Amino acid sequence: MDEQQLLGRLLLGHYERVSRGLAADAEPTAPPTAPTAPTAPTAPTAPTAPTAPTMTGYRVSAVIGTFDLRTFVTGALGFAAAVPEPARDPWYRSFTRAVFFAGNPDSVARRFPCDHVTDGIAWLGPAPDDPKSALSRGLKLLRAPAPCTSLPGKLTITVPGPSGSPIAENMDATESRHRLDIAVGGVTVAEYLVHVHHVLCEAVLRRTLRPGDELTIAHVDRLTVDESLAAATHLRISDDPHQTGNRRLYARLTSDVSTHLRETADD
């Protein structure tokens, strides 16, 4: 299977998992079924075109005044951990969609009910998408077309809990170790924000990343695409805007603990 076929297969599995929602991530309790008799091998086929999730339309708005990687990462993790239960599944089924605006977070927080505010960034939502909202009409989208050239090689943080809460008050701390490898070659700052925010928030919603865990972020030029990706706990695969018709692997999250949450291509 070539690189594009494998990425398409993994992406299709991811879309199907999102369509099932967060409830499908519960630890399996039923005993495994007896294996069936092997069938004759069939010729490989191209992956089916991914189907959109069944529930869409929720998004998060993030207003960025200044960018600091540690603040952005810990803020995104803390925000995702504090998302109210009724909004978690709709946002997950909307691919943890986030829209980034350029603006003054403090000024926005005085005018709108922000859900999470850090030094330089304010988050609002998740809420049903409304492109005509006062926030959308009053702020400009964050373009940030410059390439990612000044990011540290590695950054290690402790996953925070919900804002204003002790680290394990609302979620069980596991103190596991995780590594998030991110491809930055040819990636703009705006693209980087989207990819990293997506994989971090999805991992929190699926309870892969929990308060107290250690997370190391590593930046590389490109990520290797091979069958070992099936062992990752989360992947970020998206269209490559610089190569029409191609997909690219932008992020790979791996964990040091055994888990049923894997990016297998046939789950």
Side-chain angles (χ1 to χ4, degrees):
M1 184 180 298
D2 68 18
E3 178 175 307
Q4 287 300 309
Q5 283 183 313
L6 179 56
L7 290 176
R9 183 182 173 197
L10 288 165
L11 188 60
L12 177 61
H14 180 72
Y15 278 24
E16 292 174 345
R17 184 165 42 254
V18 169
S19 295
R20 295 195 296 267
L22 291 173
D25 280 344
E27 287 280 3
T29 55
T33 56
T36 56
T39 57
T42 58
T45 58
T48 306
T51 303
T54 55
M55 183 185 296
T56 58
Y58 267 61
R59 84 173 195 193
V60 160
S61 298
V63 181
I64 299 183
T66 58
F67 175 75
D68 170 78
L69 180 61
R70 182 179 295 273
T71 300
F72 176 72
V73 170
T74 56
L77 292 169
F79 165 75
V83 170
E85 192 63 36
R88 296 173 78 85
D89 192 68
W91 187 38
Y92 173 69
R93 292 188 186 223
S94 299
F95 288 103
T96 58
R97 182 171 178 244
V99 179
F100 295 92
F101 295 95
N104 185 326
D106 294 332
S107 175
V108 170
R110 289 192 294 268
R111 298 171 53 204
F112 299 95
C114 293
D115 298 273
H116 194 73
V117 181
T118 63
D119 184 15
I121 310 175
W123 280 265
L124 300 87
D129 193 359
D130 181 9
K132 296 182 180 180
S133 68
L135 180 70
S136 297
R137 289 186 284 106
L139 294 174
K140 292 184 178 180
L141 291 174
L142 182 70
R143 301 298 180 186
C148 294
T149 56
S150 59
L151 295 168
K154 284 187 179 180
L155 172 69
T156 299
I157 66 161
T158 299
V159 177
S163 178
S165 303
I167 215 166
E169 181 180 28
N170 297 324
M171 302 173 70
D172 297 330
T174 63
E175 298 182 353
S176 301
R177 290 183 173 85
H178 311 267
R179 179 183 172 104
L180 178 60
D181 292 288
I182 306 168
V184 296
V187 176
T188 69
V189 173
E191 292 166 349
Y192 178 90
L193 294 175
V194 171
H195 298 317
V196 175
H197 194 271
H198 167 79
V199 73
L200 290 176
C201 292
E202 184 177 89
V204 170
L205 293 181
R206 292 180 67 198
R207 296 178 65 78
T208 304
L209 294 176
R210 306 190 186 191
D213 287 1
E214 180 182 284
L215 173 64
T216 297
I217 293 176
H219 296 109
V220 298
D221 185 61
R222 294 190 71 89
L223 291 169
T224 301
V225 176
D226 56 30
E227 294 289 345
S228 68
L229 292 178
T233 47
H234 289 267
L235 298 172
R236 171 61 171 173
I237 301 168
S238 187
D239 292 337
D240 187 342
H242 309 291
Q243 295 188 30
T244 304
N246 280 359
R247 298 185 179 99
R248 181 177 174 185
L249 175 64
Y250 288 97
R252 177 189 64 223
L253 180 66
T254 54
S255 305
D256 70 347
V257 291
S258 59
T259 175
H260 70 293
L261 299 175
R262 297 290 181 191
E263 287 285 5
T264 51
D266 57 353
D267 65 344

